[in-house]
Amino acid sequence: QVQLVESGGGLVQAGGSLGLSCAASGTIYSVNAMGWYRQFPGKQRDLVATITRRGNTNYADSVKGRFTISRNNTKNTVYLQMNSLKPEDTAVYYCNALWSRTLGSTPKSSWGQGTQVTVSS
């Protein structure tokens, strides 16, 4: 089974910065797209940013210019650098990875356990 282990997050004042990381481990042939999502209380999980294996990125409009997603393909790790944080960024952040166990196999999706990010005003 593939596991995604997140680290980072915590409490920060508005205007501050935080970094998240998420490492995929297990029997993996390749990790394709990776991404970060967040979930507000009582709401569905929403996309924050995604990155392909080649480094193509996509961001939610609400975080463009403030958040940066990156990855290390050798380490199967994805990062999210969050700057100029706002109280409305407060949420549980989850990482996601699409991975293949063997060459040509159907990609599967896995989620991290979630990490709380709290931005105080």
Side-chain angles (χ1 to χ4, degrees), residues 16-36:
S17 299
L18 279 177
L20 305 179
S21 64
C22 173
S25 63
T27 303
I28 302 171
Y29 172 74
S30 71
V31 178
N32 308 316
M34 302 186 81
W36 290 95

Side-chain angles (χ1 to χ4, degrees), residues 6-12 18-21 80 82 93 115-118:
E6 302 175 15
S7 60
L11 174 65
V12 66
L18 279 177
L20 305 179
S21 64
L80 185 69
M82 304 181 290
Y93 285 69
T115 185
Q116 177 70 45
V117 171
T118 302

Side-chain angles (χ1 to χ4, degrees), residues 67-95:
F67 291 11
T68 301
I69 189 171
S70 61
R71 66 186 285 173
N72 183 320
N73 291 333
T74 300
K75 296 183 178 180
N76 288 332
T77 300
V78 63
Y79 307 93
L80 185 69
Q81 179 62 38
M82 304 181 290
N83 298 328
S84 302
L85 282 160
K86 305 174 182 179
E88 51 263 44
D89 293 317
T90 296
V92 178
Y93 285 69
Y94 295 88
C95 69

